[in-house]
Amino acid sequence: MRRGLTAFNRVSLLFGFGFLYLPIFLLVVYSFNASQLVTVWGGFSTRWYASLFRNEQLLDAVWVTFRVGLISATVATILGTFAAVALVRAGRFKGRTLFSGLVYAPLVMPEVVLGLSLLLLFVAFGLPRGFWTVVIGHATVTLCYATVVIQARLAAFDRQLEEAARDLGCPPFKAFFLVTLPNIAPAVAAAWMLAFTLSLDDLVIASFTSGPGATTLPMRIYSQVRLGVNPEINAVSTLLIGLVATGVIAAYLMQLRRRQDA
Amino acid sequence: MTQRSRPRLNIGAVRSTFAPWADPAARPLVRFENVVKRFGGETAVAGVSLDIYEGEFFALLGPSGCGKTTLMRLLAGFEDPDEGRVTLAGEDLAGRPPHRRPVNMMFQSYALFPHLSVEKNIAFGLRQLGLAKDEVAARAAEMLALVRLDGLARRKPHQLSGGQRQRVALARAIAPRPRMLLLDEPLAALDRKLREETQFELMALQQSLGMTFLIVTHDQEEAMVTADRIAVMREGQIVQIGRPAEVYEAPNSRYVADFIGDVNLFEGKVERADGQSVRLASDEAQGGFEAVEDDVIAVGATAWLAVRPEKIQVHLDAPPPGPNRLAGKVADIGYLGDWTTYLVELPNGRTLRAARANAARFVERPVDWDDQIWLTFAPDAGVVLTQ
Amino acid sequence: MSARRDRTGLAAIAPFLWLGVFFLFPFLLVAKLSLSDTALAMPPYAPRIDWALGMAGLRAFLAALDLQTYGRLTSDHLYVAAYLSSLRFAAVATAILLLLGYPMAYAMARCSPAVRQALLMAVILPFWTSFLIRVYALIGILKPEGLLNAVLAAVGLGPVALLNTDAAIYIGLVYAYLPFMVLPLYAVLERQHHDLLEAAADLGCTPLQAFWRVTFPLSLPGVGAGALLCFIPMVGEFVIPDLLGGSGTLMLGKTIWTEFFANRDWPAASAVAIALLATLVVPIALYQRQQAKLIGGAR
């Protein structure tokens, strides 16, 4: 579609994006508020950022969250790559229907149900809940997202390239590593990023599967938010938003450059 | 655009009685007057004036980017001219949106609505006319029969072959009975055999409906076969308008001669021009070139002689000396079945093209690669061009 | 040929095992627990399978399962109300999302390619930003001293108590799920060829008629995808009703959480979870079918 925007189009865009961004914008602004009262502007200050870095509990939660994210995203991406290859390349195999059902179901299942079921599993096995149970929970859910992302790229990948490698004497496994994997690498990276972000963001599953000593950042934020708006939370949120926005925009610009080069 | 009178020229398939453009009393259906259209800094149409008459099958022919599609879209109302005006039946179309213009377009992509069945696609414009339900159904059925798609009314576009889709697009565009049908590269997506068949179907359809057709194409054969008149376009301007045979046999420039069909161009200096014939001196032919030409051209000027390959004879034995006689070596032979094309290399390295109809199945002395041969052509075989 | 295919299938083993152990098996545990006896204590819950008895033990186990917990759910009007109000919240929010998201996606699709890319980025960015933080940001606007009330007061409509009301939940749901509605709509609208609108205009449609006869019907797959993509997770939503809604808010996600953490009634939480899933089976199946059709149609 082309041609200019009507007044109605402009209003729709303005209202929609205003709605999406105004709350975040205000949150960022108030994180620099000198006043303890979150509704009164008391001048510009970075005091909440300073107090943030003195808050041991919060820093602890950040550290736990990042470790959980790194490990679970890596596990999820490796398993997701295998799953995507099986789904796209393997044609029919025993249990394929069940397998694809297992991959897709967690995507649409309410988080509360996922969290509950994982907790019941750990209880049934007598596994003490803590850091590793959160990792398992996150890896399970993000594995499905990773599979979908890699699968899309793999399906679009020209299979003839792999066949050419085979024709030139590469055994199948080697052909996959030498030709296919480098070509789907951007999707694998994107899948890892997605898995990491989802893990970073998750509150519900972490709450169900976590135990003492493994409080993640969202859990910490949640328990504080329940007590009311708090400038320190504004500050930590601003940092997180800044981090994610930088990452996403950088990835986007990289992708844009690559497309222009092509 | 001066149309030179050439009484000799009455070859080719011509509806000789149909020539409203030659009748000073006839009023055109569509008139472009000094139309200019720019996109940003680019001028797509650079001052075109053109008349198209009721009942005509008119072709806009040119390479991609020459402005022919823009010209058609100006008529359909998808673009507005920056200068000049477009009139339909004497009425200025300025400011009239596409949905209120009595012309319909068959899109190059066909633009069939993917969510509607064949029948609903065809009925789309009819419903827009506000016709009664049963009349819409009747006219849609009539159109389906006309394009021989009777059994496929309930199919969706993606269930049809390319040729069938093309016919649905055609039926949809003619169903509202427009004053004029615009066809944007209508056959470009079809394979060669189907394209040829469809060309003749289009002509028959245009005859039986008596509708005015404007076709845009880059395929000279398509334009030659279907159209009553052709306008050859180049860089936003019309360089020649005429019947297919006129444009082919009497191109007015090297550009037209070269764009339509194959042509051999000989450059020379005018030695004599007396209003009956022209003589050119050239290094390529010892005897020079001689051509029938009623225009008087200044002696000493550079001129070109354009000769079609099929008008050049190939000889294995040297013909008697005279004008229009060249020696060369066979560089390549292209056997096409009905025709054979010879690429002949002149001593100066330039390659000419000569074609011969394969009238007999066996030839006593076939021309072979690397044979030394002679080429000749008649004085009335070529056209003298000064631009 | 078939031998080679089987070997590629081996790639499925690791993820298959993982999902079997950490997704399928726990899910069966939930189903089992929902059929177990009610007990306000920690596990083990009766009945259990006595593996020493073999098949007889299994039969005894199956016989001991009962629908007691479900019976309790249906007779307690609080559960029924939570169930119905979850559906209502999700349905109404989906409708609002469509009304808000469609014009947005439509306007985006009409922009120049460069602007389109930037706007697309702007829609995707919130998706990557923490859900919890975005909901938290909304509290700042909805709270009694917040921006919305200031605006309402300025035009003489306020102040209104917004936070901890149903209205706040609707605003939260629409706010959080707007990108999920806009993206599929934008995808179908952006793909639509301008040719089709020109053809409609050529055949006598005004721009508005062309929209209703061509653009809108062709965008229906996107409307369906967007609606389901928002509706399904909204039914089970926990964070939004918990943070924005009042203490009396009834939604299934919150009910499961409360039953589990506050009331420690695990069988009840499991039964509510199963009821929630049973409700979502139809929309999920619809969504899967539509996705399959979209992929099939694109080929």
Side-chain angles (χ1 to χ4, degrees):
Chain A
M1 282 193 266
R2 296 181 287 171
R3 308 220 164 193
L5 297 178
T6 62
F8 177 68
N9 291 152
R10 283 171 205 279
V11 170
S12 316
L13 288 178
L14 207 68
F15 184 75
F17 283 103
F19 182 47
L20 273 180
Y21 280 92
L22 190 63
I24 297 178
F25 175 74
L26 283 178
L27 182 145
V28 171
V29 168
Y30 272 98
S31 75
F32 294 104
N33 188 0
S35 164
Q36 168 92 54
L37 296 166
V38 278
T39 46
V40 182
W41 181 252
F44 180 86
S45 151
T46 53
R47 64 181 274 211
W48 303 115
Y49 290 89
S51 83
L52 200 65
F53 287 101
R54 288 192 303 269
N55 186 335
E56 293 275 333
Q57 277 192 329
L58 212 60
L59 292 180
D60 232 32
V62 170
W63 179 229
V64 168
T65 308
F66 269 85
R67 279 188 306 155
V68 167
L70 286 174
I71 301 171
S72 69
T74 307
V75 172
T77 308
I78 294 171
L79 290 175
T81 308
F82 280 120
V85 168
L87 284 174
V88 175
R89 287 297 164 78
R92 267 124 82 55
F93 56 88
K94 260 194 190 148
R96 187 186 204 284
T97 317
L98 176 64
F99 181 59
S100 67
L102 286 183
V103 169
Y104 292 121
L107 297 177
V108 287
M109 196 162 284
E111 286 175 316
V112 182
V113 180
L114 285 168
L116 177 69
S117 67
L118 278 163
L119 173 55
L120 292 182
L121 175 83
F122 298 140
V123 169
F125 284 159
L127 237 68
R129 282 180 285 146
F131 180 82
W132 288 104
T133 47
V134 180
V135 169
I136 288 174
H138 283 183
T140 307
V141 183
T142 55
L143 145 64
C144 305
Y145 286 90
T147 306
V148 171
V149 171
I150 298 168
Q151 192 188 8
R153 173 81 188 200
L154 204 56
F157 173 71
D158 185 0
R159 216 180 164 169
Q160 283 191 353
L161 290 179
E162 205 173 286
E163 283 171 356
R166 304 265 302 271
D167 183 60
L168 296 168
C170 252
F173 198 63
K174 208 174 160 197
F176 178 81
F177 272 93
L178 287 182
V179 177
T180 312
L181 204 54
N183 274 288
I184 61 167
V188 175
W192 190 90
M193 286 288 294
L194 181 63
F196 183 72
T197 316
L198 287 170
S199 167
L200 222 64
D201 186 19
D202 170 71
L203 164 70
V204 176
I205 290 169
S207 298
F208 274 100
T209 52
S210 173
T215 306
T216 64
L217 185 60
M219 289 168 69
R220 183 67 63 201
I221 294 177
Y222 174 73
S223 61
Q224 300 246 337
V225 168
R226 297 211 59 173
L227 302 174
V229 177
N230 165 334
E232 222 167 80
I233 298 294
N234 282 352
V236 74
S237 301
T238 301
L239 288 180
L240 267 183
I241 291 169
L243 187 75
V244 169
T246 312
V248 173
I249 291 172
Y252 167 75
L253 290 179
M254 255 162 61
Q255 193 193 351
L256 211 67
R257 255 234 323 262
R258 198 177 308 128
R259 211 179 299 157
Q260 275 163 358
D261 289 346
Chain B
M1 214 57 38
T2 53
Q3 213 63 55
R4 285 181 292 186
S5 59
R6 276 177 181 269
R8 289 180 293 114
L9 207 67
N10 55 6
I11 36 177
V14 182
R15 284 194 284 159
S16 52
T17 52
F18 180 78
W21 53 87
D23 177 3
R27 294 192 44 213
L29 176 65
V30 166
R31 170 164 264 177
F32 289 88
E33 289 173 51
N34 302 312
V35 171
V36 175
K37 176 69 192 174
R38 298 182 200 91
F39 293 108
E42 304 262 318
T43 305
V45 175
V48 164
S49 294
L50 173 66
D51 288 346
I52 299 170
Y53 294 85
E54 185 97 52
E56 225 187 323
F57 200 135
F58 196 95
L60 288 172
L61 176 64
S64 59
C66 73
K68 54 190 195 304
T69 300
T70 307
L71 206 57
M72 173 178 275
R73 290 170 61 84
L74 283 163
L75 182 53
F78 297 123
E79 314 289 352
D80 292 315
D82 292 320
E83 287 171 34
R85 55 186 210 141
V86 184
T87 60
L88 182 79
E91 194 189 341
D92 193 345
L93 290 175
R96 227 208 266 188
H99 62 270
R100 291 185 40 236
R101 297 191 182 198
V103 294
N104 284 143
M105 183 151 163
M106 188 185 145
F107 289 77
Q108 180 172 6
S109 65
Y110 305 150
L112 297 179
F113 302 122
H115 60 303
L116 300 179
S117 66
V118 167
E119 189 181 21
K120 293 242 168 69
N121 259 288
I122 294 174
F124 194 96
L126 299 172
R127 274 185 55 190
Q128 222 47 53
L129 289 176
L131 299 180
K133 251 197 177 131
D134 45 340
E135 199 183 342
V136 169
R139 288 248 304 256
E142 185 191 326
M143 285 299 136
L144 278 167
L146 189 68
V147 295
R148 295 177 288 112
L149 288 171
D150 309 71
L152 305 178
R154 307 223 170 279
R155 293 262 183 100
K156 288 281 178 71
H158 67 89
Q159 296 169 308
L160 301 177
S161 71
Q164 288 167 339
R165 261 179 248 176
Q166 189 262 355
R167 299 216 293 275
V168 176
L170 183 63
R172 185 179 72 178
I174 58 178
R177 294 185 190 150
R179 290 295 298 270
M180 189 165 185
L181 178 68
L182 312 179
L183 304 110
D184 185 7
E185 302 272 5
L187 311 177
L190 305 180
D191 62 47
R192 187 185 163 84
K193 186 113 184 140
L194 197 55
R195 197 158 62 217
E196 278 175 14
E197 275 173 37
T198 314
Q199 284 168 5
F200 288 103
E201 280 180 14
L202 275 181
M203 289 162 72
L205 193 67
Q206 192 257 348
Q207 286 283 304
S208 66
L209 293 171
M211 201 180 273
T212 312
F213 277 29
L214 173 64
I215 186 173
V216 157
T217 179
H218 67 276
D219 180 351
Q220 45 116 352
E221 194 183 300
E222 195 170 298
M224 304 267 289
V225 170
T226 56
D228 292 312
R229 282 196 302 160
I230 296 174
V232 183
M233 290 191 69
R234 178 195 194 180
E235 287 165 14
Q237 287 179 316
I238 293 180
V239 286
Q240 187 170 9
I241 300 181
R243 290 183 160 170
E246 283 167 355
V247 176
Y248 185 78
E249 298 294 355
N252 63 2
S253 61
R254 280 181 293 155
Y255 174 78
V256 175
D258 197 35
F259 187 73
I260 301 197
D262 287 326
V263 75
N264 298 299
L265 285 169
F266 302 101
E267 191 179 322
K269 281 233 172 340
V270 178
E271 279 188 344
R272 191 191 74 230
D274 54 12
Q276 285 177 347
S277 68
V278 168
R279 216 191 131 70
L280 300 176
S282 164
D283 298 338
E284 288 182 337
Q286 284 169 354
F289 296 112
E290 182 114 24
V292 177
E293 173 60 59
D294 42 17
D295 280 3
V296 179
I297 307 166
V299 170
T302 304
W304 292 268
L305 184 62
V307 187
R308 301 283 184 197
E310 74 275 10
K311 296 190 175 64
I312 295 182
Q313 281 86 47
V314 178
H315 310 271
L316 283 164
D317 302 312
N324 304 343
R325 173 177 176 276
L326 303 99
K329 195 176 77 173
V330 177
D332 212 341
I333 302 176
Y335 176 74
L336 301 173
D338 46 356
W339 285 85
T340 300
T341 302
Y342 301 97
L343 291 185
V344 181
E345 199 182 306
L346 299 183
N348 65 6
R350 207 159 74 92
T351 307
L352 297 183
R353 216 175 247 272
R356 190 154 81 171
N358 295 321
R361 290 180 63 209
F362 301 102
V363 189
E364 233 169 85
R365 274 180 68 194
V367 176
D368 205 350
W369 268 267
D370 291 338
D371 277 352
Q372 277 296 328
I373 54 156
W374 281 263
L375 303 174
T376 62
F377 53 90
D380 63 356
V383 185
V384 179
L385 302 169
T386 51
Q387 47 172 300
Chain C
M1 199 60 212
S2 62
R4 211 188 296 162
R5 273 187 185 168
D6 284 345
R7 251 186 286 160
T8 319
L10 296 182
I13 289 180
F16 210 152
L17 282 177
W18 183 283
L19 288 170
V21 173
F22 295 118
F23 175 67
L24 184 62
F25 182 66
F27 178 67
L28 295 176
L29 282 179
V30 175
K32 182 239 158 192
L33 190 56
S34 76
L35 296 168
S36 297
D37 296 335
T38 310
L40 294 173
M42 286 300 279
Y45 292 95
R48 303 196 71 201
I49 304 176
D50 191 348
W51 292 110
L53 295 176
M55 279 311 281
L58 186 62
R59 236 174 282 139
F61 163 74
L62 289 174
L65 290 177
D66 56 46
L67 292 168
Q68 189 193 347
T69 312
Y70 289 96
R72 197 153 56 86
L73 294 194
T74 45
S75 60
D76 188 333
H77 80 276
L78 261 181
Y79 290 113
V80 178
Y83 184 84
L84 292 178
S85 91
S86 284
L87 291 180
R88 194 193 68 220
F89 273 118
V92 174
T94 303
I96 300 172
L97 277 164
L98 263 177
L99 289 178
L100 186 63
Y102 200 104
M104 240 178 111
Y106 183 79
M108 277 172 69
R110 284 174 65 101
C111 288
S112 69
V115 177
R116 226 153 49 191
Q117 281 303 318
L119 291 179
L120 187 61
M121 185 71 236
V123 174
I124 292 172
L125 198 56
F127 171 82
W128 289 83
T129 314
S130 168
F131 192 83
L132 179 63
I133 289 176
R134 294 178 60 226
V135 175
Y136 166 69
L138 208 52
I139 297 179
I141 287 202
L142 294 177
K143 68 191 171 202
E145 329 79 72
L147 180 81
L148 195 58
N149 255 327
V151 173
L152 288 177
V155 295
L157 280 173
V160 189
L162 274 168
L163 201 58
N164 304 333
T165 63
D166 284 4
I169 297 182
Y170 281 124
I171 293 174
L173 289 173
V174 171
Y175 174 68
Y177 285 91
L178 189 58
F180 292 88
M181 181 57 91
V182 172
L183 284 177
L185 284 173
Y186 171 77
V188 289
L189 287 170
E190 193 256 352
R191 223 176 19 212
Q192 223 168 76
H193 287 290
H194 189 66
D195 267 12
L196 294 178
L197 286 187
E198 286 194 346
D202 188 61
L203 293 166
C205 278
T206 64
L208 196 65
Q209 284 173 319
F211 174 80
W212 284 114
R213 292 190 62 190
V214 178
T215 307
F216 186 70
L218 279 173
S219 69
L220 281 177
V223 172
L228 291 169
L229 206 57
C230 293
F231 180 84
I232 294 167
M234 282 196 297
V235 175
E237 184 54 50
F238 163 73
V239 175
I240 291 172
D242 189 60
L243 291 182
L244 300 181
S247 53
T249 306
L250 293 167
M251 276 188 85
L252 287 178
K254 208 181 157 193
T255 307
I256 295 174
W257 184 284
T258 316
E259 287 299 341
F260 196 89
F261 285 112
N263 301 346
R264 302 229 140 240
D265 187 346
W266 292 17
S270 302
V272 174
I274 296 291
L276 172 58
L277 280 183
T279 313
L280 292 180
V281 161
V282 173
I284 288 172
L286 274 176
Y287 180 72
Q288 300 278 23
R289 211 183 65 173
Q290 203 207 6
Q291 289 298 300
K293 221 161 69 184
L294 271 186
I295 292 165
R299 275 186 192 154

